[in-house]
Amino acid sequence: MKKRIAILGSTGSIGINALKVISSLSDRFEVTALSAGSNIKALSDQARSFHPKVLCVRDSALAGRLKASAPSGTKILTGADGLDEIVSRGDVDIVIFAISGSSCAAPLICAIKKRKRIALANKESLVSAGAIVMPLAKKNNVSIIPVDSEHSAIFQCLEGKRPFLNKVYLTATGGPLLDIPKSRFDRYSRKFILNHPKWKMGGKISVDSATMMNKGLEVIEAKWLFDLEEERIDVLVHPEAAIHSMIELIDGTIFAQISLPDMRIPIQYAVTYPARFRTEVEFLNFSNIKNLSFRKPDTGKFPSLRLAREALKRGGTHPAVLNAADEEAVKSYLKGRMKFSRIPVLIERVLERHKRAVKEPSIGDIIGAESWAREEMAKLCR
Ligand code: NDP
Ligand code: MG
């Protein structure tokens, strides 16, 4: 029987790649449900190609427009309740979480309670609510398979070796500003910042890659996915993006996962795990590689990485505050309301003001800390 998939965020960069993977393995997978924020045109086009039973958009005004353009007979849902309904359906086996932002935590928790198989691209939900999500997944015996390329690499390298793990190396391309002096960051346009040298991704993660907050969020994501202390998660800048991450074992052996940068590989593995199938991606040809280089990240130039590590060490509600402040700062930057160089400065300020931290937060404490951080960032942006 075919596995039935729901994609939350199907019109984004991960969502589109996930649909390519499903098309290429159409004898094994079918689409039950798709969701988008507001891109009605793309969502209805996808619905005509993949025939899902259900679609979901952000609100009822958008749902009215979607009804007019989606194939007749398709059920249309809205908002957070709609996402919860999708992940709870009996005819959904696997949920791909490809919405950006920590609002993904609520449907993720719901999917875990319904014991769905989870392919997790969204990292913000783990950064913010990892302390709730991971124990819940364990309790319900649910596998969370990472889609984020570095975490997929570590997940693949770790198979059968977890007891012997010394530490992990998360690789980072360094983003578009890697070799540009910090004093010149604000001279570069949003178009430049959004044009990542190795990956084609959505706006939020592209800005996070330029500030290197993306790697900071990934350190926290790795902590939760692999149950690691902060000191055992090293970051290495590797601009060629051939090695997607590595693990070091207690005998000094290092395993790396290597391929051309193409998100269809980790997406496919997350839905087919533990099996592997042929992909339609281009394969790496070693004779085309002139150099593989590595350097330590410069946290003076990219303070976001330091801020994320500090938030992780402090624990409790600090990572949720870091993440929410970053989401708001990036939104402001993308709307042209904030200079690029202000992003980490203002995130640090919000973190400094977080005096009511909760050490072992409930989901309510996390939501409260997030909305406080969003308001605080909004005040600083005014
Ligand atoms: P995109 O911005 O390209 O896509 C986001 C998707 O979520 C779109 O379908 C969008 O719909 C939908 N969406 C946005 N806001 C809402 C909302 N409030 N409610 C419901 N749906 C919403 O993001 P990416 O695909 O780049 O990234 C998705 C997630 O995957 C992020 O968490 C990112 O960190 C992670 N990730 C991405 C990688 C990549 O290569 N892109 C790599 C590793 C991780 P609409 O189109 O209508 O706006
Ligand atoms: Mg990544």
Side-chain angles (χ1 to χ4, degrees), residues 123 148-151 205 214-215 218:
K123 60 192 82 181
D148 207 349
S149 57
E150 297 77 1
H151 305 75
I205 184 173
N214 184 48
K215 215 45 58 178
E218 289 184 356

Side-chain angles (χ1 to χ4, degrees), residues 20 55 64 88 127 143 146 149 164 170 175 193 203 211 222 228 267 269 290 300 313 316 335 338 359 377:
K20 285 184 190 160
L55 296 173
S88 303
V127 170
S143 326
S149 57
F164 316 111
L170 286 177
I193 297 292
T211 59
L228 288 170
I267 293 169
Y269 192 57
K290 292 188 187 68
K313 277 190 241 172
K335 285 181 184 155
M338 193 198 286
K359 265 233 147 316
M377 182 55 85

Side-chain angles (χ1 to χ4, degrees), residues 240-367:
E240 296 82 8
I243 298 179
H244 299 300
S245 277
M246 300 181 269
I247 63 167
E248 180 187 88
L249 303 183
I250 49 174
D251 61 359
T253 302
I254 291 178
F255 285 83
Q257 188 258 335
I258 305 179
S259 70
L260 285 178
D262 190 318
M263 286 309 295
R264 286 175 294 174
I265 299 176
I267 293 169
Q268 177 163 314
Y269 192 57
V271 294
T272 64
Y273 169 82
R276 288 187 189 260
F277 298 97
R278 289 206 162 272
T279 57
E280 291 178 351
V281 307
E282 194 186 330
F283 283 17
L284 189 146
N285 178 347
F286 276 95
S287 53
N288 290 341
I289 296 184
K290 292 188 187 68
N291 187 26
L292 287 184
S293 63
F294 305 94
R295 45 182 134 152
K296 274 194 171 306
D298 180 347
T299 48
K301 194 164 154 183
F302 299 105
S304 298
L305 193 51
R306 167 180 60 81
L307 295 178
R309 283 198 183 273
E310 283 169 9
L312 175 56
K313 277 190 241 172
R314 285 181 170 174
T317 39
H318 284 96
V321 166
L322 169 96
N323 180 68
D326 177 57
E327 283 186 27
E328 293 309 306
V330 171
K331 261 186 225 161
S332 283
Y333 170 73
L334 287 172
K335 285 181 184 155
R337 294 195 194 133
M338 193 198 286
K339 281 188 181 168
F340 181 85
S341 61
R342 298 287 288 160
I343 299 174
V345 176
L346 296 190
I347 295 172
E348 183 155 26
R349 210 163 287 170
V350 173
L351 280 162
E352 281 163 3
R353 291 183 184 182
H354 183 44
K355 303 287 183 221
R356 294 200 176 164
V358 181
K359 265 233 147 316
E360 286 181 14
S362 64
I363 192 71
D365 295 326
I366 290 170
I367 293 168

